[in-house]
Amino acid sequence: MNVDQIKTISVIGSGAMGSQIAMVSALAGYSVTLQDIQEESVVKAEQSLRDRLGKRVDKGKMSKEELDEAFSNMTFTTSLEEAVRDADFVIEAIVENLEIKRTLFEDLDQLAPKHAILSTNSSTIVSSKVADATNRPGKVCNFHFFNPALVMEMVEVVQGPHTSNETAEVAMELARRLNKTPILLKKEISGFVANRILAKLMNEALYLYENEIATAEEIDLACTKALNHPIGPFALIDLTGLDVHYNIRQYRYEETGNEEDKPSPVIVEKVKKGDLGRKSGKGFYSYS
């Protein structure tokens, strides 16, 4: 298979990441199907995309014609069978739960065409954990976007020991055609490149916060004004979701047994209270 054969992309999971990955693909001219098991989630995803891109039109960053064309490339559905029936490349973007992902990949293997590449957007669960649930492990890889996918330019492609060279090459070229800048990891490692570096920054930021050395706002200011980061660590946790941060750290701790990998006490406390960041209206910051 070569990248020119990819005409249809299916994205499974219509949350913030999945919906934006789908729109990135539609804007690049691909026929895209966005699927979620809940009708409410699919409707919410479409409205969120229309609102977000509508603002781009209002600001003159894209034309109304470009917006209309992108949505004409998209189909929204709750049917997994319909979503992947004609797929050439599938991107899974569901909850970070290994057993649920394995069940999904088993279903995708049965429902998607035999030539289709099955990828996961996860940066926590490496694709070797799900590849053996399929009969096409050579066509399984990690294809990791960053949040928000409509803005962030990087995609990490991870070639596991099961992933064929052809699959890795196709994934790299597809990322470029989606107007992203890809890097290729030739070995699997939890967290990949960017998030492993980010995790060290997050750990130090949480240490400073929990020991009352500085406030979340001040730590974020240090990162944006002194280090020239586009967003501070606490604002970033709020953006991606404290529950997502918690699940990633908990999974890594279960994988390594290293106490340092556990979710920090302040994250645990806020998740228990339901303060999940932007999605709940409150995290380290409050949102109207």
Side-chain angles (χ1 to χ4, degrees):
M1 183 182 184
N2 64 66
V3 72
D4 291 327
Q5 293 174 277
I6 298 177
K7 308 295 183 185
T8 301
I9 295 174
S10 297
V11 181
I12 312 304
S14 66
M17 284 301 295
S19 61
Q20 290 193 39
I21 291 168
M23 179 52 73
V24 165
S25 305
L27 287 167
Y30 289 92
S31 175
V32 183
T33 303
L34 178 61
Q35 186 271 348
D36 201 292
I37 57 174
Q38 296 181 334
E39 178 70 28
E40 179 184 357
S41 297
V42 174
V43 172
K44 182 179 178 181
E46 181 175 3
Q47 188 57 56
S48 176
L49 289 172
R50 289 191 179 279
D51 291 344
R52 181 181 288 267
L53 270 74
K55 291 176 182 177
R56 288 191 180 185
V57 173
D58 293 342
K59 294 177 180 178
K61 294 182 177 180
M62 69 183 300
S63 68
K64 179 68 162 53
E65 291 72 26
E66 288 174 313
L67 175 64
D68 291 341
E69 183 177 355
F71 275 103
S72 72
N73 290 338
M74 294 187 71
T75 301
F76 299 84
T77 183
T78 56
S79 168
L80 185 63
E81 182 177 4
E82 178 187 344
V84 302
R85 182 187 300 131
D86 301 316
D88 302 307
F89 197 99
V90 180
I91 305 169
E92 169 271 311
I94 65 169
V95 64
E96 292 291 85
N97 179 294
L98 178 57
E99 290 309 312
I100 295 175
K101 286 184 189 290
R102 284 183 61 82
T103 298
L104 174 62
F105 271 78
E106 186 175 351
D107 292 339
L108 291 174
D109 187 49
Q110 297 299 314
L111 297 172
K114 297 302 180 186
H115 70 271
I117 291 173
L118 309 180
S119 72
T120 172
N121 181 58
S122 178
S123 65
T124 307
I125 298 175
V126 292
S127 68
S128 60
K129 301 280 189 181
V130 297
D132 64 343
T134 77
N135 291 310
R136 62 180 95 185
K139 292 182 176 292
V140 179
C141 68
N142 285 83
F143 196 63
H144 176 235
F145 291 75
F146 290 82
N147 190 15
L150 278 164
V151 177
M152 301 297 282
E153 297 179 11
M154 175 64 65
V155 169
E156 292 173 316
V157 175
V158 185
Q159 183 176 8
H162 55 283
T163 309
S164 71
N165 289 333
E166 177 185 278
T167 294
E169 290 165 6
V170 169
M172 288 288 287
E173 183 55 31
L174 176 61
R176 296 186 187 101
R177 296 192 181 190
L178 296 179
N179 299 308
K180 300 300 183 183
T181 301
I183 61 172
L184 177 63
L185 281 69
K186 298 291 286 186
K187 293 182 180 180
E188 290 185 332
I189 185 169
S190 181
F192 307 160
V193 173
N195 281 342
R196 288 183 72 86
I197 296 170
L198 179 62
K200 300 300 183 184
L201 175 69
M202 292 285 193
N203 286 348
E204 191 60 31
L206 286 162
Y207 172 85
L208 294 170
Y209 176 84
E210 290 177 335
N211 285 276
E212 300 180 347
I213 293 166
T215 66
E217 293 89 342
E218 290 166 332
I219 295 165
D220 277 0
L221 279 171
C223 290
T224 57
K225 301 302 182 183
L227 304 180
N228 205 27
H229 292 184
I231 187 172
F234 293 103
L236 180 58
I237 292 174
D238 274 4
L239 177 64
T240 56
L242 276 79
D243 53 335
V244 173
H245 179 91
Y246 172 88
N247 289 337
I248 289 171
R249 296 306 296 265
Q250 186 62 30
Y251 180 85
R252 191 168 297 172
Y253 168 66
E254 291 171 359
E255 186 177 56
T256 66
N258 187 344
E259 290 289 323
E260 292 182 0
D261 288 332
K262 271 187 173 181
S264 74
V266 68
I267 295 290
V268 174
E269 178 185 350
K270 286 183 177 292
V271 168
K272 284 183 178 177
K273 288 167 60 179
D275 295 340
L276 306 181
R278 287 181 178 270
K279 69 178 74 175
S280 68
K282 185 178 180 183
F284 287 98
Y285 296 89
S286 293
Y287 305 89
S288 58

